[in-house]
Amino acid sequence: MDINTITQKINYKTERVKKLQAEIKSLEAKRTQLENEEILKTVNDMNIPISELKNVLTELKERKGNI
């Protein structure tokens, strides 16, 4: 192989990595969005008022620490 061929392969693979990293970032954002939607649905299904949500979560966290 010559230098030009190797350089072309490096450039191709570098671009491929950039594309894959962008796809990963997009998938991570979608996962976060779906997780947030699931959390909101759960809170809404349980009829927890937003004003009490912090207290409920704090209590759950404290209980977990005591187990």
Side-chain angles (χ1 to χ4, degrees):
M1 272 192 228
D2 64 357
I3 293 174
N4 288 334
T5 302
I6 291 173
T7 300
Q8 288 174 347
K9 287 185 178 204
I10 290 169
N11 291 339
Y12 171 79
K13 301 233 183 240
T14 300
E15 289 303 314
R16 179 116 169 94
V17 167
K18 287 179 185 178
K19 181 180 177 185
L20 291 171
Q21 287 173 331
E23 288 178 24
I24 289 170
K25 186 175 182 178
S26 175
L27 288 169
E28 288 173 338
K30 182 66 175 173
R31 178 179 58 191
T32 299
Q33 176 187 353
L34 291 173
E35 288 172 343
N36 289 342
E37 288 173 3
E38 187 175 332
I39 291 166
L40 288 173
K41 183 182 180 315
T42 301
V43 169
N44 288 333
D45 288 348
M46 296 179 75
N47 293 319
I48 299 172
I50 296 297
S51 60
E52 293 179 25
L53 183 58
K54 183 177 179 182
N55 293 337
V56 170
L57 293 174
T58 301
E59 184 177 325
L60 287 171
K61 183 179 179 181
E62 289 172 357
R63 280 189 201 170
K64 184 178 178 184
N66 292 332
I67 294 175

